[in-house]
Amino acid sequence: MKTFEDFCSAKMFGKNDVWVSTEIIFSVCWNYSDASLSFAKELVKNGMVSLVALNIGWKPYLQHQEKQKEDFILSASLSILNNLSKVTEARCYFEKANIKQLLQPFLKSAKEDHKVKSIMILVAIKSNSDEDNKMLEDTAPILPIKKLLASAISSKTTHGPRCYKGFSSVELVNSLNLIAANSSYKYKIVLEGCLPLLVNMLQYKDEEEQEAALTTVWILEDGNFWHLYDGKDMAEIIRDEPKMMKSLEELTHSTHTRISMCARTTLRRVEKPCAVCRPCCS
């Protein structure tokens, strides 16, 4: 990391004589921090957050995003930050590096991957403060994630969770889960057409996808969110989604214990919403 820190001074980035090494180092950090949470934790402890913060805040990169090298460095830096945001202990490092403010240009970016990566980072590290909630609301986060999720589950991935442009269906849905933790977004997720995508994931023969989709359905119908939309509460909307109930029922027989338990719990919650949590709406 000391060599990397010396190497990553802004004056050196983009020069041809160091470009190959730059690309290799960033690619290794990008891919391995995605594959290994332990590796991501080590990067956090050794100062990686502040290093990539230097990149996403450096004006020459922001002003020349159309160039291949600058775009790669920004994309790799955002991807590394996205991977490191999954490390719980990293939150204080993100605060210290002022990451939320540095993400602002990317949240409004016309580049789809930059925008979605920055949204995913923000929902992972944001607090429940009015300021953070307003920042998230201004990005209109659901539609960009939904579009990539639709592309991911339409891909021809042969094994594991399906992917599109480096985004896996699981990580995209996990970001929706974090967004849905704020009750004001639950109906927005439904209105953007995410339920059919969740059904697709429930039916897909990959346990990671099934578990991620189950978690989302469970969060959407959390037993405490009873507001009506078009005369229906969330449980009714979920029940009325084609193939949803059948998919949940089938997963109650999964050989994967966590999936079968989650499916049974979600099915009970959707079939018989908690009367204690819901006032009479008549």
Side-chain angles (χ1 to χ4, degrees):
M1 285 300 295
K2 180 61 173 65
T3 302
F4 193 26
E5 185 174 0
D6 294 338
F7 189 63
C8 286
S9 64
K11 292 180 181 179
M12 293 180 69
F13 277 146
K15 290 186 177 181
N16 290 330
D17 56 343
V18 298
W19 171 247
V20 173
S21 299
T22 300
E23 187 174 21
I24 291 171
I25 291 174
F26 272 101
S27 295
V28 168
C29 292
W30 178 351
N31 290 308
Y32 278 87
S33 61
D34 184 34
S36 168
L37 187 61
S38 297
F39 185 78
K41 289 180 179 180
E42 289 302 313
L43 289 181
V44 169
K45 288 192 292 186
N46 286 279
M48 179 58 82
V49 174
S50 61
L51 288 179
V52 289
L54 173 69
N55 294 339
I56 66 172
W58 203 44
K59 287 186 178 180
Y61 292 160
L62 298 175
Q63 293 168 350
H64 299 93
Q65 295 184 48
E66 73 284 355
K67 295 183 178 180
Q68 182 180 359
K69 294 177 181 178
E70 283 79 354
D71 180 66
F72 172 81
I73 291 173
L74 289 173
S75 186
S77 297
L78 287 170
S79 295
I80 292 169
L81 281 174
N82 183 35
N83 295 337
L84 301 190
S85 70
K86 299 164 189 173
V87 178
T88 304
E89 308 92 291
R91 303 298 164 80
C92 60
Y93 295 92
F94 278 77
E95 287 291 335
K96 186 176 179 180
N98 203 25
I99 296 298
K100 282 184 279 192
Q101 292 305 314
L102 293 174
L103 289 176
Q104 292 285 356
F106 301 100
L107 292 169
K108 302 171 185 177
S109 175
K111 288 180 173 287
E112 182 182 50
D113 61 329
H114 289 183
K115 183 180 179 71
V116 173
K117 286 172 187 174
S118 61
I119 290 173
M120 293 169 72
I121 296 165
L122 178 61
V123 299
I125 66 173
K126 82 176 196 69
S127 66
N128 201 31
S129 68
D130 291 341
E131 181 182 359
D132 283 5
N133 286 331
K134 179 66 166 57
M135 187 186 303
L136 181 62
E137 183 179 353
D138 289 345
T139 68
I142 299 169
L143 184 58
I145 292 176
K146 181 248 181 174
K147 286 181 176 178
L148 279 179
L149 178 60
S151 296
I153 66 175
S154 299
S155 69
K156 303 299 183 183
T157 307
T158 56
H159 63 279
R162 290 166 288 182
C163 300
Y164 178 72
K165 290 186 176 179
F167 294 93
S168 78
S169 55
V170 170
E171 66 175 337
L172 291 166
V173 164
N174 286 342
S175 290
L176 284 181
N177 293 344
L178 293 172
I179 294 171
N182 184 327
S183 293
S184 65
Y185 284 100
K186 294 181 188 292
Y187 276 123
K188 293 178 183 178
I189 289 173
V190 170
L191 291 175
E192 290 290 1
C194 293
L195 286 183
L197 306 183
L198 295 176
V199 171
N200 182 294
M201 292 178 68
L202 293 173
Q203 295 179 329
Y204 187 64
K205 302 306 180 184
D206 179 81
E207 292 177 345
E208 281 189 76
E209 282 204 21
Q210 291 172 346
E211 188 171 1
L214 276 170
T215 301
T216 306
V217 176
W218 189 85
I219 290 173
L220 288 174
E221 197 344 89
D222 67 359
N224 294 305
F225 187 68
W226 47 265
H227 302 292
L228 296 178
Y229 175 77
D230 198 22
K232 297 180 180 180
D233 66 11
M234 185 61 76
E236 290 177 281
I237 292 172
I238 293 173
R239 286 199 300 271
D240 290 347
E241 179 62 33
K243 301 182 181 179
M244 175 67 79
M245 300 303 283
K246 179 183 178 183
S247 300
L248 292 173
E249 171 62 32
E250 288 175 351
L251 287 180
T252 63
H253 305 292
S254 171
T255 56
H256 190 293
T257 303
R258 201 160 58 235
I259 289 176
S260 61
M261 289 179 61
C262 186
R264 286 194 293 270
T265 302
T266 304
L267 196 60
R268 285 197 300 270
R269 175 175 282 180
V270 174
E271 286 179 333
K272 299 178 180 179
C274 176
V276 175
C277 300
R278 298 167 188 267
C280 177
C281 297
S282 60

